Amino acid sequence: MKIGNKYGTHRVIEPQGVLPQPATKVNNNINTLYDNELLIDVDVLNIDSASFTQIKEEANGDKEAIKSIILDIVSKQGKMKNPVTGSGGMLIGTVNKIGPALQGKIDLKEGDRIATLISLSLTPLRIDEILDIKTDIDQVRIKGKAILFESGIYAKLPDDLSETLSLAVLDVCGAPAQTARLVKEGDTVVVLGAGGKSGILCCAVAKQMVGDQGLVIGADYSDENIERLRQVEVCHKAIKLNATDALGCYQTIEALSEGKMADVVINNVNIPNTEMGSILMCKERGTVYFFSMATSFTKAALGAEGVGKDVNMLIGNGYAVGHANMAIDILRRNKKIRSLYEELYT
């Protein structure tokens, strides 16, 4: 049998000795399938928000230029890893072939529709054609193939949600799951980028967790997103805030919290330089959770030290046990969120 490393190191071309995510180039040759790999026919790529925002800015919003950038990245690296942000996204596809070493060990069969729950930044991908680019929801419709390693996680697409809606929600399902772990009853929680795809889900979970004595503040820079927050009623206060204005963030949350500051700050903003705003609005020994792929570890670590803030800082892990089912269940239980997401992502 031809067994590859379960983490996919057998597909790494350069540099040797690293895992597929930090690799600069992986082998996306689908003609040779290892016995412990899945081959997927890919329909849709959901590019992560930080990456797609950067690509759109580089392309000045031109779809043909966006297409060229994406094709260039994949042709050079064998995967969709944005060289500027280092991030990827996820995909929807149909199981084409299951390696013999995996048959009977996983709950899939050929023809099943799945969403991968691992990043495109480590997934061997071949794009044969880009059919459409939906710039408003960060999705790219393609004809192509991808490889899922033995360690790769996935979710079968639910029957009661559209595929594009499922993809949009599953792309950020780690954020609400981690929010549930961090927030407790009575907390003051600030969610930055609250009106976006991940932000609304985080607000919904946080509001449930804090109970009647807590406070959830949803902050966003977009007037349209603030209106969406009010529409779905997932936070106690929806405010306009520039997350790159650190002192403005501090002063605003100081006033709203009557000087107590936030117990938990969830950062979902898809642009750089929001680290210090997040840190300053957090109370001493509080928690800042950076789910945003635009986060700089250096800016966060040295910035907190520079202002003398003793806060716990967590880097967002896109995986948490049960995260996919939890995110899908939010839509099933909350008709207002589901209605909004169906309007935005289908």
Side-chain angles (χ1 to χ4, degrees):
M1 297 180 74
K2 190 174 183 180
I3 299 292
N5 178 274
K6 71 176 184 177
Y7 298 117
T9 55
H10 58 284
R11 288 272 177 180
V12 173
I13 295 176
E14 57 186 42
Q16 288 291 305
V18 303
L19 289 163
Q21 202 286 328
T24 56
K25 189 173 184 180
V26 299
N27 178 3
N28 63 352
N29 182 358
I30 65 166
N31 296 320
T32 302
L33 187 70
Y34 287 76
D35 289 351
N36 58 337
E37 292 180 333
L38 287 176
L39 178 63
I40 304 168
D41 293 326
V42 184
D43 301 316
V44 183
L45 305 177
N46 199 98
I47 310 298
D48 90 90
S49 183
S51 174
F52 204 82
T53 298
Q54 185 277 323
I55 291 172
K56 282 193 293 187
E57 290 176 351
E58 182 180 335
N60 293 317
D62 181 75
K63 283 192 176 183
E64 288 303 312
I66 293 171
K67 182 187 297 187
S68 295
I69 292 170
I70 291 172
L71 289 172
D72 184 62
I73 290 172
V74 175
S75 67
K76 288 179 178 177
Q77 299 190 46
K79 57 181 182 173
M80 182 55 213
K81 179 183 179 182
N82 185 318
V84 178
T85 65
S87 53
M90 55 182 291
L91 63 83
I92 273 181
T94 301
V95 177
N96 177 296
K97 187 175 181 181
I98 301 173
L102 296 180
Q103 292 179 9
K105 295 183 179 180
I106 58 176
D107 61 339
L108 290 177
K109 63 182 183 303
E110 293 177 5
D112 280 348
R113 299 285 290 164
I114 64 170
T116 59
L117 299 179
I118 58 170
S119 176
L120 292 175
S121 66
L122 62 87
T123 304
L125 173 68
R126 189 189 79 188
I127 298 179
D128 298 319
E129 184 181 2
I130 292 181
L131 303 175
D132 188 27
I133 296 177
K134 297 184 177 181
T135 56
D136 54 335
I137 58 173
D138 306 343
Q139 290 185 356
V140 182
R141 190 166 293 278
I142 73 164
K143 288 183 179 179
K145 297 281 195 298
I147 298 292
L148 192 65
F149 304 129
E150 183 179 350
S151 61
I153 54 177
Y154 57 86
K156 289 184 180 180
L157 294 177
D159 296 331
D160 56 336
L161 300 179
S162 73
E163 292 189 351
T164 53
L165 176 58
S166 297
L167 181 59
V169 173
L170 292 172
D171 182 41
V172 296
C173 61
Q178 299 289 355
T179 298
R181 296 179 177 182
L182 297 173
V183 177
K184 63 183 185 298
E185 188 173 358
D187 276 351
T188 293
V189 180
V190 179
V191 180
L192 295 174
K197 184 168 51 178
S198 59
I200 287 176
L201 298 179
C202 290
C203 284
V205 172
K207 190 176 182 183
Q208 180 181 358
M209 299 296 293
V210 302
D212 296 336
Q213 302 303 313
L215 174 65
V216 176
I217 301 169
D220 204 290
Y221 189 66
S222 161
D223 290 329
E224 184 179 16
N225 281 357
I226 292 170
E227 181 56 36
R228 288 171 182 165
L229 282 172
R230 292 172 177 153
Q231 176 184 336
V232 295
E233 299 179 321
V234 291
C235 50
H236 299 98
K237 295 182 183 293
I239 63 170
K240 184 169 184 175
L241 193 62
N242 180 358
T244 66
D245 178 3
L247 286 178
C249 288
Y250 170 77
Q251 292 163 354
T252 299
I253 301 307
E254 182 185 38
L256 289 174
S257 67
E258 298 179 347
K260 297 177 182 177
M261 310 309 290
D263 297 282
V264 180
V265 178
I266 310 289
N267 185 327
N268 297 292
V269 183
N270 61 7
I271 59 173
N273 300 317
T274 64
E275 294 84 2
M276 289 311 300
S278 304
I279 290 165
L280 287 181
M281 65 174 63
C282 189
K283 66 170 52 175
E284 293 293 311
R285 301 308 302 273
T287 298
V288 181
Y289 177 65
F290 291 107
F291 186 71
S292 168
M293 291 296 103
T295 300
S296 163
F297 167 81
T298 305
K299 290 176 182 177
L302 299 183
E305 176 186 288
V307 296
K309 289 285 287 191
D310 184 3
V311 297
N312 301 311
M313 295 187 289
L314 302 177
I315 298 298
N317 183 348
Y319 175 65
V321 175
H323 63 332
N325 289 335
M326 178 183 179
I328 293 296
D329 282 343
I330 293 173
L331 265 65
R332 288 174 174 150
R333 290 184 282 104
N334 192 312
K335 293 181 180 179
K336 290 184 178 180
I337 295 179
R338 177 166 180 167
S339 177
L340 174 63
Y341 279 30
E342 285 175 338
E343 177 186 336
L344 295 174
Y345 303 114
T346 58

